Amino acid sequence: MTSKDVTPFAQRGDLSEVELGKSFCPKFDDNGLISAIVTDRDSGNVLMFAHMNAQSLRETIATGYAHFWSRSRAKLWKKGEESGNLLRVVEIRTDCDQDALWIVAHVEGAGVACHTGAQSCFYRRLVVPPGDANTLVLEHVALPRGKTV
Amino acid sequence: MTSKDVTPFAQRGDLSEVELGKSFCPKFDDNGLISAIVTDRDSGNVLMFAHMNAQSLRETIATGYAHFWSRSRAKLWKKGEESGNLLRVVEIRTDCDQDALWIVAHVEGAGVACHTGAQSCFYRRLVVPPGDANTLVLEHVALPRGKTV
């Protein structure tokens, strides 16, 4: 695999082009990674957050299924490859400075995005117990836009 | 400011406690930062993506307004402090391994989250021009869940 194969993206030009132009020039960090937010096509909920390197982004674009870079395992990771809960990409967006991606996706298989079995990885919210403003706890709650975890 | 002031969060215990428990033990990376996804309370759209350090997370919890760590300016950043487009926090969620935050917020002021004047920073989507699968371009488009940028 050549360098060209894994980085088919535009060179980053001036700020105006990056922010307002049509060139897709994602900014990978010092570790070669870009942040990727995945939301559910139907509910709009945030399902998971992970990172992509150039190869996983290229695979995502080429196959229509979300691929990430597993930092813990240091390998390309096709999400749901073992569980069947693949993420079929509906749309890929990028932000103003192109250092983050928003993936709108449909979860195949059992419709479960989290390895814990929850629909979304974000199944807990932060609460401050009454009378104890210094103690923060997490509470398991339903997703905000109608679907339960 | 003491160390305790800026890190009032629980120590990370075993994986089961981190993933399924009630202790809020956010994982800051080697630069002391955690990723924060901000979505709009009403539309559910992703508005922006930024990073928080312990201090900005603490300020966010204490004030109810989103604070971040500006990596480019290397300083605490109260979002909207100059523009008036403050992000009033409705809910803070964390993911299974507590290395990312999902902030559900209401944008005050002009309702604009991006410094470019767009409602959301994610105003462009990736498209592959017909007949030219090797050329990726960005297209300015409306937000997927009803609101335009």
Side-chain angles (χ1 to χ4, degrees):
Chain A
M1 186 172 288
T2 68
S3 171
K4 184 172 180 301
D5 286 332
V6 295
T7 56
F9 312 117
Q11 295 294 309
R12 288 174 70 85
D14 62 38
L15 188 63
S16 171
E17 175 60 22
V18 169
E19 292 194 343
L20 302 173
K22 295 186 175 186
S23 293
F24 183 50
C25 47
K27 183 177 182 180
F28 297 95
D29 69 14
D30 293 343
N31 296 312
L33 301 176
I34 189 167
S35 300
I37 303 155
V38 180
T39 65
D40 183 79
R41 175 194 66 181
D42 300 316
S43 69
N45 281 309
V46 180
L47 295 175
M48 60 175 287
F49 173 77
H51 295 86
M52 293 182 174
N53 64 359
Q55 183 188 5
S56 51
L57 177 54
R58 192 179 61 121
E59 289 291 321
T60 299
I61 294 166
T63 65
Y65 284 92
H67 292 65
F68 302 98
W69 177 255
S70 169
R71 294 183 298 177
S72 58
R73 290 174 288 162
K75 61 180 284 194
L76 184 72
W77 163 39
K78 182 179 182 181
K79 171 68 183 171
E81 191 168 34
E82 293 180 12
S83 66
N85 298 320
L86 298 164
L87 296 177
R88 182 158 54 77
V89 175
V90 175
E91 187 168 278
I92 300 176
R93 289 179 171 244
T94 191
D95 67 345
C96 44
D97 58 355
Q98 301 198 40
D99 68 353
L101 302 172
W102 170 12
I103 314 288
V104 180
H106 171 68
V107 189
E108 295 189 349
V112 163
C114 183
H115 75 286
T116 62
Q119 280 185 4
S120 160
C121 296
F122 293 86
Y123 46 81
R124 289 172 296 180
R125 71 174 175 190
L126 190 60
V127 291
V128 180
D132 187 2
N134 291 316
T135 304
L136 305 170
V137 295
L138 296 175
E139 178 185 37
H140 286 65
V141 285
L143 291 165
R145 301 186 66 78
K147 288 194 178 181
T148 54
V149 293
Chain B
M1 188 172 288
T2 68
S3 171
K4 184 171 181 301
D5 286 333
V6 296
T7 56
F9 311 117
Q11 295 294 309
R12 290 173 70 85
D14 63 37
L15 188 63
S16 171
E17 174 61 23
V18 169
E19 291 194 344
L20 302 173
K22 294 186 173 185
S23 292
F24 183 50
C25 47
K27 183 177 183 181
F28 297 95
D29 68 13
D30 292 344
N31 296 312
L33 301 176
I34 190 168
S35 299
I37 303 155
V38 181
T39 65
D40 183 80
R41 175 194 66 182
D42 300 316
S43 69
N45 282 308
V46 180
L47 295 174
M48 60 176 286
F49 173 78
H51 296 85
M52 292 182 175
N53 63 1
Q55 184 187 5
S56 52
L57 177 54
R58 192 178 60 122
E59 290 290 321
T60 299
I61 295 166
T63 65
Y65 284 92
H67 292 65
F68 302 98
W69 177 256
S70 170
R71 294 183 298 177
S72 58
R73 289 174 290 162
K75 62 180 285 193
L76 185 72
W77 164 38
K78 183 179 181 180
K79 170 69 183 169
E81 191 168 35
E82 294 181 12
S83 67
N85 299 321
L86 298 165
L87 296 178
R88 182 157 54 78
V89 175
V90 175
E91 188 168 276
I92 300 176
R93 290 181 171 243
T94 192
D95 67 346
C96 44
D97 58 355
Q98 302 199 39
D99 69 352
L101 301 172
W102 171 11
I103 313 287
V104 180
H106 171 69
V107 189
E108 295 190 346
V112 163
C114 183
H115 75 286
T116 63
Q119 280 183 4
S120 160
C121 296
F122 293 86
Y123 45 82
R124 288 171 297 181
R125 71 174 175 191
L126 190 60
V127 292
V128 180
D132 187 3
N134 291 316
T135 305
L136 305 170
V137 295
L138 295 175
E139 177 185 39
H140 285 65
V141 285
L143 291 165
R145 300 187 66 79
K147 288 194 176 180
T148 54
V149 293

